[in-house]
Amino acid sequence: MTCETAISIKEITHYFGEKKVLAGISFSVEKGEILGLLGPSGAGKTTLIRIMTGQLTPSAGSASLDGNDMALVKQEAYRRIGMMMDDLGFYERLSCYDNLKLCAGFYGVREERIREVLEQVGLYQDRKCPVQKLSKGMKGRLALARAVLHEPAFLFLDEPTAGLDPATTRQIHELILQLQRDGATIFLTTHNMTEAEKLCKHVALLHEGQIVEYGAPQEINRRYNHRNKLKIRLYGGSSLELPNTAASAEEVCGYLQKGQIETIHSTEPDLESVFLELTGCSLREED
């Protein structure tokens, strides 16, 4: 089956003054895919989103959605785009509900949809609360509700679960996956490797404006499995490591036959470890 390209990024380079913040970025996103862009603060993630959504014109290269160059896109195209960014831009004295009601009017969305999205992000009980009284996490959930209010074909999420508790994070993940199942193409920036591995078909690791690795999360992890060992924990607390080769099969089989194995794992790294190996810094490292 042929995959249809929804987002195409070709050789994007961008400067702020003399500082190069993006350097020859290229990749594509299939229609209905969730792609994750991983990198620490200052790596260029937000700048790339602003270019992809037509808010910035790149110094060189192009970004297109469904074949439309975002540097030339017309205003009506934004009806197909939903964005959750750092600069939330709410009317602080208005309630959650009234903020979304204003947006619903811009997009021509039925008012019943407001209740739907507030329930999806767990804010319906707080719908009458002024935005200025919301916690940071609640404001983030309201920003996500606003981004999906008009059921966009393209969704750009910049750190959608930053600062949220685990229960709310799971709820947001479920919503993101449901949006994907409904056909949305989702571009997600994060420095949370667990989130990326759970949600994303492919990830791109971004460091100092360059993509240093790209692929399916588990494929990337296996690619950097230099140790290639099996870590075995036996009942009773002892542990051992064996080469992950055919030569270890008889010994592993013996432990299994005796019912001695409590856990067994391969030693491939996670995305955090891969990023550290490639760049010498952490995904969570701040400027």
Side-chain angles (χ1 to χ4, degrees):
M1 184 175 66
T2 303
C3 296
E4 186 176 352
T5 299
I7 301 173
S8 179
I9 304 301
K10 295 181 179 179
E11 293 296 325
I12 285 184
T13 296
H14 194 69
Y15 290 85
F16 287 123
E18 296 184 355
K19 182 180 179 181
K20 183 187 287 187
V21 292
L22 294 173
I25 301 292
S26 295
F27 59 83
S28 61
V29 185
E30 298 172 6
K31 189 175 291 293
E33 177 183 352
I34 302 176
L35 184 135
L37 185 67
L38 280 68
S41 297
K45 302 190 301 295
T46 302
T47 298
L48 184 57
I49 281 188
R50 294 188 184 282
I51 289 171
M52 294 169 70
T53 55
Q55 299 174 72
L56 276 177
T57 300
S59 303
S62 65
S64 62
L65 271 59
D66 276 349
N68 299 306
D69 189 334
M70 292 307 294
L72 307 173
V73 74
K74 296 181 179 180
Q75 190 66 32
E76 54 265 24
Y78 284 101
R79 292 182 178 274
R80 304 185 67 223
I81 297 173
M83 289 181 282
M84 178 184 172
M85 306 292 286
D86 282 340
D87 48 346
L88 300 177
F90 292 119
Y91 293 97
E92 293 283 326
R93 295 184 180 182
L94 294 182
S95 68
C96 297
Y97 192 94
D98 285 342
N99 266 276
L100 294 188
K101 188 175 180 179
L102 282 173
C103 293
F106 298 150
Y107 289 113
V109 173
R110 70 191 193 283
E111 195 166 339
E112 293 82 1
R113 175 69 178 155
I114 299 173
R115 175 167 183 158
E116 291 176 9
V117 296
L118 286 174
E119 288 178 339
Q120 286 177 320
V121 301
L123 284 178
Y124 186 70
Q125 297 301 319
D126 301 288
R127 63 191 181 280
K128 296 181 180 180
C129 182
V131 169
Q132 63 188 0
K133 294 185 178 180
L134 298 179
S135 67
K136 179 181 178 182
M138 294 170 76
K139 286 183 178 180
R141 284 185 278 157
L142 184 60
L144 181 56
R146 181 179 59 187
V148 304
L149 181 66
H150 57 299
E151 301 177 277
F154 298 93
L155 189 58
F156 294 87
L157 304 177
D158 195 5
E159 304 284 357
T161 59
L164 299 183
D165 63 87
T168 305
T169 295
R170 285 194 297 272
Q171 188 175 10
I172 297 305
H173 285 173
E174 290 169 5
L175 173 57
I176 291 171
L177 290 170
Q178 184 58 56
L179 291 165
Q180 181 205 22
R181 288 190 290 269
D182 290 342
T185 301
I186 301 172
F187 187 87
L188 168 76
T189 74
T190 183
H191 59 243
N192 184 326
M193 62 180 181
T194 303
E195 180 167 80
E197 290 176 350
K198 177 179 180 180
L199 298 178
C200 302
K201 181 177 180 180
H202 295 101
V203 297
L205 306 185
L206 187 69
H207 177 62
E208 295 181 349
Q210 294 183 303
I211 292 178
V212 295
E213 188 56 275
Y214 173 90
Q218 295 303 322
E219 288 178 2
I220 292 175
N221 293 342
R222 289 192 293 269
R223 202 177 300 157
Y224 290 85
N225 186 13
H226 308 305
R227 294 176 64 197
N228 197 26
K229 300 279 189 178
L230 295 174
K231 297 176 67 175
I232 299 174
R233 179 179 175 85
L234 303 178
Y235 287 108
S238 60
S239 300
L240 66 152
E241 285 191 3
L242 299 174
N244 189 9
T245 63
S248 300
E250 185 175 348
E251 186 171 355
V252 173
C253 184
Y255 288 121
L256 287 169
Q257 288 175 336
K258 295 174 184 178
Q260 293 178 302
I261 294 180
E262 182 177 8
T263 64
I264 182 168
H265 301 283
S266 55
T267 57
E268 68 266 15
D270 55 26
L271 292 173
E272 176 80 30
S273 300
V274 171
F275 192 85
L276 184 63
E277 176 180 337
L278 289 171
T279 68
C281 67
S282 168
L283 281 169
R284 300 178 183 276
E285 186 171 307
E286 300 293 330
D287 287 349

